[in-house]
Amino acid sequence: MVLLWTDVLLFLLLVLLAIAIYGILKKPYLRERLQDSCSSPIRVASVLVLTTFVVIGVLDSIHFRQDNKVLSVLDLVLLPTSAQMESTYSAPFATELFVEHMEKVDAENIVWVTEKLIHVDPLPVLYLIGLGLIVGSILGFLLLLIAKRYFHNINTAATVSTYTIAITLVTLKILMLHYHVLGTDKVGVDVLYASFKSIRTGLVIGTVTTLVTLPFAILFGTLAGYMRGWVDDVIQYVYTTLSSIPGVLLIAAAVLTLDAVISRHDNFFSLMAQRSDMRTLILCVILGLTSWTVLCRILRAETLKLREQDFVLVSKIMGANTLQIIWRHIIPNLAHIIIITIALDFSALVLAEAVLSYVGVGVDPSTYSWGNMINSARMELGREPVIWWSLVGAFSLMFMMVLSANIFADAVRDALDPRAVSHVAN
Amino acid sequence: MWQYIFRRVLYAIPVLIGVNIITFALFFMLNSPDNIAHMQLGSKHVTKAEIDNWKKTHGYDLPLFFNSEQHSFTQTIFWQKSIRLFVFDFGVSDGGRDIGEAISDRYLPSLSIAVPALIVGLFVNIVTAMVMAFFRGGYIDHWGVILCVISMSISTLFYIIAGQYFVARVLKWVPVSGYVDGFYSLKFIALPVLVSVVAGIGAGTRWYRALFLEEISKDYVRTARSKGLSEPQVLFGHVLPNALVPILTGVVVIIPLLFMGSLLLESFFAIPGLGSFTIDAIQNQDFSIVRAMVFLGTILYIVGLILTDISYVIVDPRVRFN
């Protein structure tokens, strides 16, 4: 077992998420609202798609060491694809490399030949898809059988989505055994495999960043709103100053600086994976440190309203001190805002990762991420015939994750925000 | 009113000092001039003399805060590199060019993309949001919202890459990238503006639709309807002007920032503006330029905030100077 820092934080977050879900489900009125707002077919589908992404991400976060390489469970699942590499580009479902290379026959003649792909076993695609349909349906059926023990209200949308996801994943897996479904990239890595590996990076950026944000935003927001006076002034000054710096520039400045610091202490990391993992973590911390101001401002404004409420006054009369009041009365009443913000921020962060990688201040180039895939693939758009498959792989998976996260965030907001209902009613 | 503006400008000073200290700490305390020299000189096998020489020519050989040799505060990195920013003396880049000159050369191309993109985008978003608000609850509204969420979920990079590929490479309507001064820049500007508008349409329309719907649920709209006004009269005569207040004040914040240009668009379309200047500086790890742009961006943002406050007072009679 190898435990990377982001793994630990991701698992910690999953535990927190489980506690939050348990807390919500325990309260009947919240459970009812959540069920109501998640009942439309699109939202059911998006929850299931998002769960699939999380499962893939978690599988990719259980790392172990093998022959001096750090592998994850996902690598085992995708085994032949993850271990073998071609030498360079190949098109989707191709049997030969995309580029021809010269071979000298004798001193005069040169022939152009294409090399056979190592990792392709060309069985008919339709036959493989048929096999995927059958095996996927069986898997979907089994999953639903298990799910029915725990959930009583599985509707048509849930059933259809489960079958679709199961069949898609199984079919892709079977196809990946025989082909490069989305071809290979410049260094010969299977594009679909790289896209799947990038899911974890997206998840880490989207969630660990929030974990960094929360302590600052909650502590400073509630303190400023509740204590008023000079505490409020100082905290307001700090977040006004930080938020005055344009986001990308502050992130770029911080990443450049810390990069210089890391590169001076290179020998600190024994494994390549640890180094690139640290870079991802630092990116999350920087994103968090530059973005807590938004939530902090909202929480401060809300605390200002809450502190005038009667229940706060009563508890003050009963002798509770400031921290007790904030912990017992203010924070629980801010919980819905915090949860909604987490959900809404997630998709923005996943999208931001791609942009930051393009700017050159994203995750380490050796980490699989959609941003890195796009960044290296866009150079190839100029050539004829065009190499489009890396872009398709990265963009389509990123789109699916962000779309389902957006829809899910809307569902969460409708369920938890008391004001959201009035909008819908009109 | 002038007194109010004066006070707002005074408030900005401590913020600017704070930003100055943050950037100084980031660039010179966490990161020593030795590191910067190492990154600029590249290879790992540089001699101490080369580094010292580089530091001397770029003015990084001074002490941080107090020069004990000359007993002065001005012959220090803090004074030369940070305090001088307040008088818009950006110094020279690590590559050796004058930053102030580069900025004055480059802000016009940035504006020629950013201003049309903002105006066209604003117009398109308001129109689509009005249409959806007019048909609220119906099919157009329902599918409109779904399309908005879908378009919000697509990365800006996709819009840029796809737009560049199909419009410029396949259809060959406009050049792929580049820029010229004057009227002929139009063919270079058209595609970036189009891409920027399309990329922003989802989030913008959804937000404006919510603003319109919030206005529609207010009492004065009911009064207008009960007077017997038709739905278009209510929407265009009452809802639109009132909903424009948050929309316009939201736009005022970003107007000064338009000078900074767009990092992505300018870099993809090879527009010689401040956005591509910044992105090149980041990729070349040119700390001087990044520091100058951070400071410039902050000033512009603060100007935007002050303008927002003023515009609130102008358009919304309920807000008073205080």
Side-chain angles (χ1 to χ4, degrees):
Chain A
M1 276 291 279
V2 178
L3 216 50
L4 299 177
W5 273 105
T6 49
D7 294 344
V8 177
L9 290 171
L10 204 63
F11 290 133
L12 183 69
L13 267 168
L14 279 179
V15 172
L16 285 178
L17 186 74
I19 294 173
I21 291 176
Y22 179 73
I24 288 172
L25 293 184
K26 221 172 56 176
K27 297 206 169 81
Y29 62 99
L30 280 179
R31 183 163 70 192
E32 210 164 282
R33 291 191 66 166
L34 199 63
Q35 274 175 354
D36 276 355
S37 77
C38 288
S39 59
S40 82
I42 293 181
R43 287 180 174 177
V44 171
S46 79
V47 169
L48 287 173
V49 171
L50 207 54
T51 315
T52 315
F53 275 107
V54 173
V55 169
I56 295 175
V58 169
L59 285 183
D60 201 12
S61 300
I62 306 169
H63 289 100
F64 55 90
R65 215 164 155 162
Q66 198 177 53
D67 308 335
N68 235 350
K69 270 178 17 190
V70 177
L71 296 176
S72 73
V73 175
L74 185 71
D75 290 326
L76 284 188
V77 175
L78 302 174
L79 196 51
T81 324
S82 58
Q84 283 169 315
M85 276 168 68
E86 307 295 342
S87 51
T88 183
Y89 291 113
S90 68
F93 293 105
T95 51
E96 298 163 331
L97 280 181
F98 189 66
V99 275
E100 299 172 324
H101 75 118
M102 280 189 303
E103 203 153 282
K104 269 193 173 164
V105 181
D106 49 53
E108 300 275 300
N109 298 320
I110 294 169
V111 277
W112 291 87
V113 288
T114 52
E115 222 172 285
K116 282 250 177 290
L117 291 177
I118 309 160
H119 170 64
V120 160
D121 173 17
L123 283 174
V125 176
L126 274 180
Y127 159 75
L128 294 175
I129 292 178
L131 190 65
L133 268 173
I134 297 168
V135 181
S137 312
I138 296 170
L139 180 71
F141 182 74
L142 289 176
L143 279 175
L144 282 170
L145 217 58
I146 300 169
K148 274 193 183 117
R149 286 169 160 254
Y150 299 98
F151 302 98
H152 304 291
N153 43 356
I154 292 177
N155 52 19
T156 330
T159 318
V160 173
S161 316
T162 311
Y163 274 119
T164 315
I165 293 170
I167 290 172
T168 313
L169 287 180
V170 169
T171 311
L172 282 179
K173 171 64 196 157
I174 293 176
L175 284 172
M176 280 172 94
L177 287 174
H178 297 270
Y179 289 98
H180 294 295
V181 178
L182 278 175
T184 52
D185 67 5
K186 189 172 191 171
V187 288
V189 175
D190 187 279
V191 169
L192 193 59
Y193 166 72
S195 313
F196 275 126
K197 290 285 280 183
S198 306
I199 290 175
R200 174 177 181 273
T201 312
L203 276 179
V204 167
I205 302 264
T207 52
V208 174
T209 303
T210 317
L211 191 71
V212 178
T213 318
L214 286 184
F216 291 97
I218 295 177
L219 183 69
F220 292 144
T222 50
L223 275 182
Y226 187 78
M227 308 264 287
R228 309 282 296 272
W230 67 269
V231 179
D232 191 18
D233 289 340
V234 170
I235 292 171
Q236 273 202 69
Y237 171 70
V238 170
Y239 74 58
T240 318
T241 307
L242 265 180
S243 62
S244 300
I245 307 174
V248 187
L249 285 173
L250 183 56
I251 294 164
V255 171
L256 282 185
T257 303
L258 286 171
D259 253 8
V261 176
I262 293 189
S263 62
R264 305 291 280 155
H265 300 87
D266 231 0
N267 45 2
F268 182 73
F269 306 104
S270 58
L271 286 168
M272 179 70 177
Q274 283 175 331
R275 186 173 177 277
S276 52
D277 178 71
M278 187 47 88
R279 170 98 196 240
T280 312
L281 183 63
I282 284 177
L283 182 66
C284 292
V285 171
I286 290 169
L287 279 172
L289 287 181
T290 52
S291 65
W292 61 270
T293 51
V294 184
L295 182 59
C296 183
R297 196 184 298 249
I298 301 172
L299 292 183
R300 174 183 168 273
E302 207 61 27
T303 311
L304 279 176
K305 285 184 219 158
L306 283 173
R307 76 190 289 273
E308 307 297 333
Q309 299 279 323
D310 288 342
F311 59 82
V312 174
L313 187 67
V314 170
S315 124
K316 209 186 284 178
I317 293 168
M318 307 262 280
N321 65 29
T322 307
L323 285 181
Q324 279 173 329
I325 292 175
I326 288 179
W327 183 248
R328 293 258 179 81
H329 298 292
I330 307 280
I331 291 179
N333 281 299
L334 297 174
H336 68 281
I337 299 180
I338 297 170
I339 294 174
I340 292 168
T341 314
I342 295 175
L344 287 175
D345 279 354
F346 176 79
S347 49
L349 285 167
V350 175
L351 289 175
E353 184 273 324
V355 172
L356 289 177
S357 293
Y358 171 74
V359 175
V361 289
V363 293
D364 193 79
S366 68
T367 309
Y368 287 111
S369 88
W370 292 315
N372 281 340
M373 289 175 71
I374 294 165
N375 198 14
S376 53
R378 77 189 172 87
M379 302 292 181
E380 308 298 336
L381 273 180
R383 58 196 270 176
E384 274 315 312
V386 89
I387 290 171
W388 46 267
W389 42 88
S390 291
L391 290 174
V392 168
F395 277 130
S396 54
L397 271 159
M398 183 158 69
F399 171 67
M400 271 189 259
M401 179 141 120
V402 173
L403 181 64
S404 52
N406 271 333
I407 295 171
F408 179 64
D410 282 351
V412 170
R413 194 190 50 200
D414 286 351
L416 299 181
D417 190 355
R419 285 176 310 173
V421 183
S422 64
H423 285 248
V424 180
N426 268 289
Chain B
M1 175 147 167
W2 286 108
Q3 203 193 351
Y4 173 76
I5 295 173
F6 182 68
R7 216 168 40 224
R8 284 296 282 118
V9 174
L10 276 188
Y11 278 135
I13 292 172
V15 173
L16 276 178
I17 294 175
V19 171
N20 203 300
I21 292 172
I22 291 175
T23 44
F24 181 78
L26 261 181
F27 283 106
F28 295 111
M29 289 161 80
L30 273 175
N31 192 9
S32 70
D34 283 330
N35 272 344
I36 303 177
H38 262 292
M39 290 185 111
Q40 284 299 314
L41 296 171
S43 65
K44 289 193 171 167
H45 308 287
V46 280
T47 59
K48 182 92 172 60
E50 278 174 322
I51 286 177
D52 286 342
N53 191 28
W54 189 91
K55 275 162 65 181
K56 199 170 178 63
T57 49
H58 289 85
Y60 287 124
D61 56 339
L62 301 167
L64 278 186
F65 292 108
F66 181 70
N67 195 333
S68 51
E69 283 170 29
Q70 300 183 9
H71 292 285
S72 74
F73 287 101
T74 53
Q75 288 302 313
T76 57
I77 288 182
F78 185 61
W79 184 273
Q80 295 288 335
K81 299 275 174 191
S82 244
I83 302 291
R84 297 290 289 168
L85 288 175
F86 281 110
V87 293
F88 294 99
D89 174 7
F90 297 114
V92 286
S93 68
D94 294 346
R97 284 198 57 201
D98 187 74
I99 299 176
E101 212 170 275
I103 290 174
S104 64
D105 283 348
R106 282 167 169 269
Y107 76 91
L108 271 177
S110 281
L111 284 181
S112 69
I113 302 281
V115 172
L118 176 75
I119 294 171
V120 177
L122 201 60
F123 179 74
V124 170
N125 289 347
I126 290 177
V127 169
T128 45
M130 277 301 271
V131 170
M132 282 162 65
F134 186 78
F135 294 106
R136 60 190 173 280
Y139 274 112
I140 292 182
D141 186 29
H142 183 71
W143 286 101
V145 172
I146 291 177
L147 281 179
C148 280
V149 176
I150 290 176
S151 99
M152 278 164 65
S153 307
I154 299 173
S155 171
T156 319
L157 292 167
F158 176 80
Y159 290 111
I160 297 176
I161 293 174
Q164 206 168 29
Y165 184 72
F166 286 107
V167 180
R169 272 194 222 284
V170 177
L171 299 172
K172 293 198 167 56
W173 285 350
V174 290
V176 175
S177 64
Y179 185 80
V180 289
D181 281 325
F183 179 73
Y184 289 102
S185 64
L186 204 61
K187 61 179 179 186
F188 291 105
I189 291 173
L191 185 57
V193 170
L194 177 77
V195 165
S196 158
V197 170
V198 172
I201 208 168
T205 303
R206 204 169 114 112
W207 181 34
Y208 293 166
R209 173 184 169 273
L211 288 178
F212 288 140
L213 290 187
E214 198 176 308
E215 284 300 317
I216 286 175
S217 66
K218 285 186 178 162
D219 286 341
Y220 72 88
V221 176
R222 193 177 304 135
T223 314
R225 281 211 195 92
S226 58
K227 280 196 308 192
L229 295 186
S230 68
E231 190 64 23
Q233 276 174 320
V234 172
L235 278 185
F236 289 98
H238 293 267
V239 173
L240 185 60
N242 282 302
L244 279 181
V245 172
I247 293 177
L248 287 183
T249 44
V251 166
V252 169
V253 184
I254 56 169
I255 287 177
L257 280 176
L258 295 181
F259 277 97
M260 302 288 287
S262 155
L263 293 183
L264 293 181
L265 284 175
E266 288 182 15
S267 145
F268 269 98
F269 291 99
I271 309 285
L274 285 177
S276 53
F277 184 57
T278 314
I279 213 169
D280 289 345
I282 294 172
Q283 279 162 358
N284 297 332
Q285 305 187 319
D286 192 322
F287 286 78
S288 300
I289 297 179
V290 175
R291 209 158 36 84
M293 297 316 281
V294 166
F295 197 70
L296 186 66
T298 311
I299 292 177
L300 292 173
Y301 180 72
I302 291 173
V303 170
L305 285 182
I306 295 174
L307 290 179
T308 309
D309 286 350
I310 296 170
S311 69
Y312 255 119
V313 182
I314 293 171
V315 293
D316 194 339
R318 286 169 302 184
V319 182
R320 295 263 160 266
F321 297 110
N322 51 41

